[in-house]
Amino acid sequence: MYQDLYKAREKAIQEVSEILNDKISGLKISVISMPSDSSDPDMSNINKRVIIFNPNFETSFSFPFRIAHEMSHILYGSSSKTYTFSPLSKKTEEIEANLHGIQILADIFFGDYYSATQRCEYRYRFIELFNLQPIAHLVERCL
């Protein structure tokens, strides 16, 4: 049974990642995988519309959230900044990137099939799936 739960989780992450990648392509945002030191976070550059993803970066946050967070900087951030992945920062721009990133994932994950009530009922599954426990209070604001 536990193996089935793991497979279901991996399938859900894969499906969300595929849809997220389609959105990124449609928005003309490039994602570059650049393996580096485990302490080097992901980055995004608004002017170049690029996300630099470090697959070795040590974080509990899921791959889709990391990409959605950086995507949010490009879509909603200041026009000439480069951002580094720092979801626990208290800076307004990081909180906003978290909120937008959560909303992007929620729209993909829940789609048009779930009402606001159902989104609320399944919020813990959403939080668990994307490893959003440290920012669960922001998930509550979005759903």
Side-chain angles (χ1 to χ4, degrees), residues 72-122:
S72 296
H73 281 304
I74 292 171
L75 296 176
Y76 307 108
S78 297
S79 61
S80 62
K81 286 197 168 188
T82 297
Y83 293 96
T84 57
F85 185 70
S86 49
L88 300 179
S89 172
K90 301 293 183 199
K91 291 182 179 179
T92 301
E93 56 204 6
E94 291 302 323
I95 293 169
E96 288 177 1
N98 287 339
L99 289 168
H100 289 297
I102 291 165
Q103 192 62 59
I104 289 167
L105 291 181
D107 289 346
I108 294 169
F109 182 76
F110 294 111
D112 296 329
Y113 307 109
Y114 292 88
S115 67
T117 302
Q118 290 171 316
R119 283 181 175 221
C120 191
E121 289 172 4
Y122 289 103

Side-chain angles (χ1 to χ4, degrees), residues 29-98:
I29 297 172
S30 299
V31 178
I32 300 169
S33 179
M34 187 175 294
S36 186
D37 188 70
S38 64
S39 63
D40 292 336
D42 307 323
M43 299 172 59
S44 58
N45 183 286
I46 293 173
N47 290 338
K48 295 181 180 181
R49 296 184 69 80
V50 65
I51 296 169
I52 300 171
F53 177 76
N54 176 8
N56 299 329
F57 180 55
E58 287 186 23
T59 181
S60 63
F61 291 99
S62 69
F63 165 78
F65 175 71
R66 291 165 57 188
I67 295 297
H69 174 97
E70 295 304 328
M71 178 180 166
S72 296
H73 281 304
I74 292 171
L75 296 176
Y76 307 108
S78 297
S79 61
S80 62
K81 286 197 168 188
T82 297
Y83 293 96
T84 57
F85 185 70
S86 49
L88 300 179
S89 172
K90 301 293 183 199
K91 291 182 179 179
T92 301
E93 56 204 6
E94 291 302 323
I95 293 169
E96 288 177 1
N98 287 339

